[in-house]
């Protein structure tokens, strides 16, 4: 069966291995599939016994791209990623038709500076947001903070470092600040320490050349739940609150685990 009411069957077109535990998949995109940058889709992989396992993955590709790209960690013994990591180019991937998730720019009514705080594969939705036009038209400064354990686990460096050379983004180049963080080793050109440690010390603000201020700052956080909880607690002390439907705030989050 190629599709039903809920999903379409897509073809895997490329696989990129970043490290022993990180890889990206690119597949075809159904012409009718729509999503907002920052959203996720549920992906299905058929097992040898014919059953299908499903997991949610944020799109790392731009909303305007003709393909879909996803960024994954290999979970040792994990039912889904062990199936995903054995796939080869030409194999099928099931993609649910409905994109989901609220880590989107419409969470914020206004703001001057947008901070994107990512750990690990939590980078994916921010890659999608950064490749679109809306974020650059709405914010005067966009700071990407990307935390990994080691330098070898900092994925997508060519895309990030070449981002503002893309034709449609060149005029906004001076708005972008990229701060890579490495927690387990000292790496030239990277900050050393956890996001929370560098927030507490003020080093993150110094490196960005911006201060965190409820009047101007908007933050999106994506990564493991512990990082998100700890970061949210620190931001709350600065008067930065979670943005809810009933109470607009300065912070939006997505757990990635």
């Amino acid at each position: 069966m190629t599709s039903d009411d809920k999903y379409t069957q897509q073809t895997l077109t490329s696989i990129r291995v970043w490290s022993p535990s990180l890889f990206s998949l690119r597949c075809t995109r159904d012409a009718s599939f729509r999503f907002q940058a920052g959203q996720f889709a549920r992906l299905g992989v058929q097992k040898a016994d014919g059953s299908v396992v499903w997991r949610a993955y944020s799109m790392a590709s731009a909303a305007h791209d003709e393909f879909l790209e996803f960024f994954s960690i290999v979970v040792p013994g994990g039912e889904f990623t062990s199936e995903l990591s054995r796939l080869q180019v030409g194999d099928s991937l099931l993609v649910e038709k409905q994109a989901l998730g609220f880590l989107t720019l419409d969470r914020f009514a206004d703001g001057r500076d947008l901070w994107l705080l990512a750990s690990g594969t939590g980078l994916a939705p921010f890659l999608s947001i950064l490749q679109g036009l809306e974020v650059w038209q709405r914010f005067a400064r966009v700071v990407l903070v990307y935390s990994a354990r080691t330098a070898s686990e900092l994925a997508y460096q060519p895309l990030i470092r070449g981002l503002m050379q893309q034709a449609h983004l060149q005029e906004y180049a001076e708005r972008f600040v990229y701060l890579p963080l490495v927690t387990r080793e000292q790496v030239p050109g990277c900050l050393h320490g956890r996001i929370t440690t560098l927030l507490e010390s003020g080093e993150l603000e110094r490196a960005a050349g911006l201060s965190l201020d409820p009047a101007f700052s908007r933050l999106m956080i994506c990564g493991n739940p512990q990082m998100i909880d700890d970061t949210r607690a620190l931001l709350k002390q600065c008067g930065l609150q979670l943005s809810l439907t009933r109470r607009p705030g300065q912070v939006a989050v997505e757990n990635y685990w």
Side-chain angles (χ1 to χ4, degrees):
M1 190 192 298
T2 55
S3 72
D4 74 356
D5 290 343
K6 288 199 163 35
Y7 64 82
T8 62
Q9 184 169 308
Q10 301 302 315
T11 304
L12 200 55
T13 56
S14 72
I15 300 166
R16 171 124 189 207
V17 176
W18 300 102
S19 78
S21 62
L22 296 169
F23 65 100
S24 295
L25 297 176
R26 186 176 287 193
C27 70
T28 54
R29 174 177 177 171
D30 191 81
S32 64
F33 184 74
R34 297 283 178 271
F35 70 94
Q36 276 182 275
Q39 287 190 306
F40 60 84
R42 275 167 44 82
L43 305 183
V45 178
Q46 195 160 29
K47 295 170 68 173
D49 64 5
S51 64
V52 176
V53 278
W54 295 90
R55 290 292 182 278
Y57 278 86
S58 292
M59 274 62 76
S61 43
H64 59 256
D65 283 330
E66 293 178 359
F67 55 84
L68 296 175
E69 185 157 319
F70 306 94
F71 183 24
S72 181
I73 189 167
V74 179
V75 179
E79 183 186 31
F80 188 80
T81 60
S82 55
E83 294 293 334
L84 201 58
S85 58
R86 69 169 177 76
L87 291 181
Q88 297 179 346
V89 169
D91 285 346
S92 290
L93 197 60
L94 305 180
V95 181
E96 277 199 354
K97 292 178 180 179
Q98 182 69 50
L100 302 163
F102 301 101
L103 195 70
T104 52
L105 292 172
D106 55 13
R107 289 290 291 276
F108 306 120
D110 57 5
R112 186 191 69 193
D113 308 325
L114 179 66
W115 296 71
L116 305 172
L117 309 182
S119 65
T121 53
L123 175 70
F126 299 152
L127 292 176
S128 185
I129 287 169
L130 289 166
Q131 291 179 85
L133 268 179
E134 185 188 356
V135 68
W136 306 105
Q137 292 168 341
R138 283 190 54 190
F139 293 92
R141 281 282 185 278
V142 180
V143 183
L144 173 64
V145 178
Y146 175 27
S147 169
R149 294 177 302 181
T150 62
S152 64
E153 290 184 356
L154 283 170
Y156 285 99
Q157 296 309 288
L159 173 62
I160 295 169
R161 296 192 184 280
L163 187 69
M164 306 316 288
Q165 289 156 27
Q166 293 184 25
H168 67 297
L169 300 181
Q170 284 176 0
E171 65 182 286
Y172 306 107
E174 76 278 0
R175 299 188 181 190
F176 185 45
V177 179
Y178 173 45
L179 300 176
L181 267 61
V182 176
T183 59
R184 295 191 180 173
E185 57 188 23
Q186 297 273 1
V187 180
C190 297
L191 294 172
H192 177 62
R194 296 179 181 277
I195 288 175
T196 44
T197 308
L198 299 177
L199 265 175
E200 270 189 300
S201 68
E203 193 175 340
L204 206 58
E205 290 169 272
R206 285 193 294 276
L210 294 171
S211 58
L212 286 166
D213 183 323
F216 303 119
S217 308
R218 303 294 176 263
L219 295 100
M220 290 180 157
I221 317 169
C222 191
N224 72 71
Q226 192 62 59
M227 182 276 281
I228 289 176
D229 289 347
D230 294 346
T231 304
R232 273 186 58 193
L234 283 172
L235 293 173
K236 199 171 179 180
Q237 293 171 17
C238 305
L240 295 148
Q241 299 277 357
L242 196 61
S243 188
L244 305 169
T245 310
R246 64 183 183 276
R247 188 200 70 210
Q250 297 85 23
V251 181
V253 304
E254 188 96 80
N255 280 342
Y256 239 65
W257 207 235

